[in-house]
């Protein structure tokens, strides 16, 4: 878990992995419309809009990586369920968030 003050860096990291074919967006919670058709700026602007509504928030970004053993072969639906449950358990289930599946290491992980 890496707390931060800007969503741009976390979003940029994941979107660059998608462009390189090393990751895919598998879940967009709290986003209206077809997330597959949204570009970087549209995703960023969704978060920026929410931040404008709460300018008093100091730490507004949390970049989380959930890592699985290399023997685990999980499908996207299972990863979505795990991510949703995780976010609920840490108290962020009602917040907008994106989940990216990363296939750029020897083990499966999501951000």
């Amino acid at each position: 878990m890496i707390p931060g003050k800007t969503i741009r860096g976390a979003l940029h990291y994941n979107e660059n992995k998608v462009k390189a074919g090393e990751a895919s967006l598998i879940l967009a919670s709290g986003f209206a419309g077809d997330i597959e058709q949204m570009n970087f700026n549209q995703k960023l602007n969704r978060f920026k809009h929410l931040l404008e509504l709460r300018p008093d928030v100091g730490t507004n970004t949390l970049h989380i990586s959930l890592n699985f053993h290399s023997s685990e072969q999980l499908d996207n639906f299972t990863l979505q369920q795990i991510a949703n449950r995780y976010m609920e358990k840490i108290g962020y289930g009602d917040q907008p968030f994106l989940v990216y599946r990363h296939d750029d290491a020897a083990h499966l992980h999501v951000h």
Side-chain angles (χ1 to χ4, degrees), residues 32-110:
D34 185 2
I35 193 70
E36 296 295 324
Q37 300 302 316
M38 289 185 185
N39 63 32
F40 175 86
N41 285 325
Q42 290 168 315
K43 293 170 189 169
L44 181 62
N45 287 336
R46 168 70 173 132
F47 287 115
K48 281 183 169 182
H49 172 71
L50 294 170
L51 294 173
E52 289 170 359
L53 298 175
R54 296 285 312 272
D56 57 317
V57 173
T59 301
N60 56 41
T61 302
L62 187 59
H63 187 164
I64 301 169
S65 177
L66 300 178
N67 296 269
F68 304 93
H69 190 272
S70 59
S71 67
E72 293 184 274
Q73 301 299 315
L74 304 173
D75 62 22
N76 287 347
F77 179 73
T78 302
L79 292 172
Q80 291 167 342
Q81 290 180 314
I82 291 169
N84 273 321
R85 182 87 170 134
Y86 183 89
M87 293 300 282
E88 286 174 18
K89 287 291 189 179
I90 66 169
Y92 291 101
D94 292 333
Q95 299 298 317
F97 60 90
L98 301 172
V99 178
Y100 292 83
R101 175 190 182 119
H102 283 237
D103 298 303
D104 59 344
H107 65 283
L108 174 63
H109 58 288
V110 294

